[in-house]
Amino acid sequence: MQIREQLEMLVHEALEAAVADGSLPLESIPEVGLERPRDESNGDWASTVAMRCAKQAKMNPRAIAQAIVDHLPENQVVAAVEIAGPGFINFRLSDAVLQGVVREVREAAEDFGCGTVPEGERKINLEYVSANPTGPLHVGHGRWAALGDAMARVMRHAGYDVHEEFYVNDHGTQMDVFGNSVGVRYMQLLGHDAEMPEQCYGGSYVADIAQGIIDEEGNKYESMTDQERMEAFREYSYDQMLKLQNKTLSDFGTTFDCWFSERSLYVEDENGESPVSRSLKAMDEKGYVYEDQGATWFKSSALGDEKDRVLIKANGEMTYFMSDVAYHYDKMMRGFDHLINIWGADHHGYVKRCECMLEAWGWPGALEIVLGQLVNLYRDGEPVRMSKRTGEMVTMQELVDEVGVDATRYLLLSRSSDQPIDFDIEVAKKKDASNPVYYVQYAHARICSVLRRGVEAVDPALAEAAREGEASMADVAERIIPEGVDLSPLTHPTELALMRKMDDFGPLVALAARDRAPFRLTHYAQDLASLFHSFYTSCHIMSAPEEVRQARLALADATRIVLALALGLLGVSAPVHMVHTEAQADEDAAAQAAE
């Protein structure tokens, strides 16, 4: 049980006792509502419950606060409590309960902070990226890839049932335009005087695909009609682009449970029905479909949309919206009861009609849209809009190739999705404290270096195995930290601050999952890393007396575990080696020995 939960239980028991003996004339027990004081001098936790129930009790808030304090049961959690201002109750935790966090982290390991959502919580379909298979992924797609993947990781750690899905927009005229664009480039490369049509994909990657076809099959398609060539190249190019997108995302650490093809929505079963026809029939049965001037319409205005929406044009052509209707209906039919879509901010005008379609079927509130802002690329403060290689947009792959997966993911997750991100490529490449991901990873690597140094004196072979990656840091920690290690020496302010911060991890994960806000973990990781660096500077580890050294090694190990967890939930690695960490460890050890 988290410390906050223990404290809330104690205050709740105090309220019940005060009500029972008549000290507090309350008809119902209010929520305790603990929060961190802005000023650490006011303690570890504070409650405003006395002020919130003053009207009901018809008492002075300070008198209510005193009654609560007087009825607190005996416990090992609270070291001191005071009443401040108009009725704040400030609690200072005991060292022992904070030290228990270290033990809890090390026992739970990778399960630390795992939550359990309420029984009956919904099965969630999380759809993100979902780019057209007509070109390489751009930097904006990279942001949605990082966000969606991290969101899924955080939500799963908090106990949610999450299914990740990529919707492949492989139906419609844009696919024909793509195939035709490749066909024109193909003919041009073979020496024909062919002009690209006004509606086309003009990126250099189109010519690359065409050249690839020539390299593989020569002029095999030269004598075909434009239509035959378009159809052949449409399928070939679609396959090539989908493989490229899949590889880019996989290399980025983002994988999906399902790549759902839009084309499948139009495939009929043995009864002649398709997901499109089934979704339309279900909407019609609810009374939200009508015909007008030969077109089929969705009566979305009856559900709050600004106007009705066309589903099928008068010429029989399905609209893009019809595909979305069928797709979302299919999701619900597959057993999901809450849908989360991550879209770019330019889709904000599309949200209401999609919410209406779920409501039309009888699932109001089942669709949740997360809108995200753009990524602004910079290099040393100067805007970057074009690729140096092609003179076109900077692709996701180019950014990752230059900056690396970890830095790209971390910086793309560093702000809330509803805020634009200014991504400076040169800052992301720096190997110093100005780069936040380096700063956090360095703290983790530094702890690993300390643990390896600790094991060298007692088990050189294990130290070497850990250095070569053949033994885990958990193995190293187990070798040098006794089971049931005495943690009572951990009383220095920097040690207590580290333990407080680690205790915040579980509640933070729960809130980040609830609010779809994995960016909070980047801030948490930086704060935890900063607290560790402060502790490491203030408290000697290896040169301390044995009982203190063992306790501090346990604290360092617990910090390593939580840092690795925070980074892992962001999809970022927690390296055990980094440039300078070993040299820095030698320098630190020499300096501490000299003191």
Side-chain angles (χ1 to χ4, degrees):
M1 183 184 295
Q2 299 290 329
I3 293 175
R4 178 175 181 170
E5 294 174 340
Q6 296 178 53
L7 187 54
E8 285 178 339
M9 186 179 297
L10 290 172
V11 178
H12 185 82
E13 290 177 8
L15 281 163
E16 288 183 324
V19 169
D21 70 9
S23 300
L24 286 179
L26 297 174
E27 295 182 2
S28 60
I29 305 297
E31 290 187 9
V32 173
L34 294 174
E35 57 188 40
R36 290 286 193 193
R38 293 183 179 179
D39 186 346
E40 291 185 4
S41 65
N42 290 327
D44 296 299
W45 290 102
S47 177
T48 60
V49 64
M51 293 180 283
R52 286 187 281 107
C53 64
K55 184 175 181 180
Q56 182 189 162
K58 298 180 180 179
M59 290 175 60
N60 182 288
R62 286 186 65 91
I64 296 173
Q66 189 62 58
I68 294 172
V69 171
D70 290 344
H71 287 80
L72 279 173
E74 290 188 14
N75 64 88
Q76 302 297 315
V77 177
V78 179
V81 59
E82 66 174 4
I83 300 168
F88 292 101
I89 308 176
N90 295 334
F91 300 93
R92 192 170 301 282
L93 301 175
S94 68
D95 292 350
V97 75
L98 288 171
Q99 292 156 4
V101 175
V102 174
R103 200 175 311 281
E104 182 184 356
V105 171
R106 298 188 68 241
E107 288 177 354
E110 62 184 20
D111 291 330
F112 180 68
C114 281
T116 304
V117 296
E119 186 175 348
E121 178 61 45
R122 297 167 292 185
K123 185 178 180 183
I124 295 170
N125 179 293
L126 175 60
E127 183 225 322
Y128 59 101
V129 183
S130 297
N132 291 343
T134 55
L137 299 175
H138 56 63
V139 174
H141 292 132
R143 186 177 191 186
W144 312 141
L147 174 63
D149 181 72
M151 190 183 295
R153 291 169 187 257
V154 170
M155 292 179 73
R156 287 195 185 103
H157 202 75
Y160 292 81
D161 182 3
V162 182
H163 171 97
E164 295 170 84
E165 190 154 305
F166 186 114
Y167 180 53
V168 184
N169 296 270
D170 54 7
H171 178 82
T173 58
Q174 84 275 6
M175 297 305 301
D176 291 346
V177 171
F178 185 36
N180 188 50
S181 300
V182 175
V184 172
R185 292 299 187 209
Y186 175 87
M187 296 300 284
Q188 290 175 345
L189 289 169
L190 290 177
H192 293 271
D193 186 18
E195 290 188 10
M196 287 292 277
E198 183 176 344
Q199 191 176 9
C200 67
Y201 290 93
S204 61
Y205 67 91
V206 177
D208 292 341
I209 295 174
Q211 185 62 57
I213 296 173
I214 294 173
D215 293 342
E216 290 181 17
E217 301 188 77
N219 66 346
K220 174 181 175 180
Y221 303 93
E222 188 175 13
S223 60
M224 285 185 173
T225 66
D226 291 345
Q227 179 68 21
E228 291 172 333
R229 191 181 308 111
M230 179 276 290
E231 292 177 357
F233 288 180
R234 179 187 61 196
E235 299 310 306
Y236 175 88
S237 304
Y238 162 51
D239 182 65
Q240 292 296 305
M241 200 51 60
L242 199 61
K243 287 178 179 177
L244 176 63
Q245 291 182 354
N246 196 329
K247 184 179 186 305
T248 297
L249 291 167
S250 180
D251 291 347
F252 194 57
T254 300
T255 57
F256 295 88
D257 297 300
C258 172
W259 288 67
F260 189 98
S261 168
E262 181 184 359
R263 292 178 176 181
S264 68
L265 297 171
Y266 295 86
V267 176
E268 296 182 349
D269 60 18
E270 62 276 8
N271 299 316
E273 292 187 332
S274 67
V276 166
S277 64
R278 284 192 289 270
S279 65
L280 190 61
K281 180 180 178 182
M283 187 175 282
D284 187 27
E285 289 174 348
K286 296 291 185 178
Y288 288 101
V289 175
Y290 68 94
E291 305 288 329
D292 185 43
Q293 296 182 353
T296 302
W297 297 74
F298 169 40
K299 197 186 300 182
S300 56
S301 61
L303 298 167
D305 196 7
E306 61 182 0
K307 62 181 180 180
D308 293 345
R309 307 293 176 176
V310 178
L311 298 171
I312 306 174
K313 299 177 184 179
N315 63 3
E317 181 184 346
M318 303 285 185
T319 63
Y320 287 119
F321 182 55
M322 183 69 251
S323 288
D324 287 326
V325 168
Y327 178 44
H328 286 80
Y329 185 77
D330 185 81
K331 286 183 183 181
M332 300 299 289
M333 291 297 97
R334 281 187 277 145
F336 300 105
D337 45 23
H338 190 66
L339 314 179
I340 303 175
N341 296 349
I342 299 178
W343 291 346
D346 57 332
H347 286 72
H348 66 90
Y350 207 70
V351 173
K352 186 60 181 178
R353 73 191 71 175
C354 291
E355 291 174 339
C356 289
M357 68 186 177
L358 269 297
E359 187 174 352
W361 290 310
W363 299 309
L367 178 62
E368 176 184 346
I369 306 295
V370 176
L371 292 178
Q373 295 295 328
L374 300 177
V375 179
N376 302 310
L377 276 185
Y378 294 86
R379 190 183 296 276
D380 280 334
E382 294 297 320
V384 176
R385 294 186 176 87
M386 296 296 176
S387 164
K388 288 183 177 180
R389 183 179 67 84
T390 64
E392 299 160 1
M393 70 171 186
V394 178
T395 67
M396 176 182 170
Q397 188 65 59
E398 286 178 302
L399 181 63
V400 172
D401 287 345
E402 181 170 357
V403 173
V405 170
D406 286 344
T408 301
R409 287 184 71 110
Y410 194 96
L411 294 176
L412 288 176
L413 289 166
S414 62
R415 302 191 73 176
S416 172
S417 60
D418 60 3
Q419 297 178 332
I421 285 181
D422 293 338
F423 190 111
D424 195 302
I425 294 171
E426 295 306 318
V427 170
K429 291 159 60 177
K430 288 183 177 178
K431 306 297 183 185
D432 58 36
S434 67
N435 181 349
V437 67
Y438 182 88
Y439 182 75
V440 175
Q441 289 180 317
Y442 182 80
H444 184 272
R446 193 177 206 182
I447 295 170
C448 294
S449 178
V450 170
L451 294 174
R452 284 194 301 271
R453 181 172 296 279
V455 84
E456 280 178 348
V458 295
D459 194 339
L462 179 58
E464 181 61 24
R467 191 170 287 108
E468 296 299 321
E470 297 171 356
S472 70
M473 297 315 302
D475 293 334
V476 172
E478 183 179 358
R479 181 68 176 82
I480 59 176
I481 302 171
E483 185 177 354
V485 59
D486 180 12
L487 300 171
S488 62
L490 301 177
T491 57
H492 189 275
T494 60
E495 296 169 333
L496 298 173
L498 260 180
M499 293 183 283
R500 288 189 195 96
K501 196 66 181 178
M502 285 190 283
D503 187 57
D504 288 341
F505 181 73
L508 176 73
V509 169
L511 289 174
R514 183 199 69 185
D515 299 338
R516 324 305 191 214
F519 79 94
R520 293 174 185 166
L521 282 166
T522 65
H523 301 168
Y524 176 87
Q526 287 164 240
D527 289 344
L528 186 62
S530 177
L531 290 171
F532 175 78
H533 291 312
S534 295
F535 153 71
Y536 190 75
T537 300
S538 302
C539 298
H540 295 180
I541 299 179
M542 302 312 299
S543 61
E546 183 175 2
E547 66 278 7
V548 177
R549 176 175 58 82
Q550 291 177 346
R552 287 177 176 169
L553 283 171
L555 176 60
D557 186 47
T559 307
R560 171 190 67 82
I561 291 170
V562 179
L563 277 174
L565 273 173
L567 288 170
L569 293 180
L570 296 169
V572 176
S573 69
V576 297
H577 290 283
M578 287 181 73
V579 177
H580 305 315
T581 52
E582 296 296 336
Q584 185 65 54
D586 291 337
E587 184 179 324
D588 293 340
Q592 291 188 3
E595 295 178 11

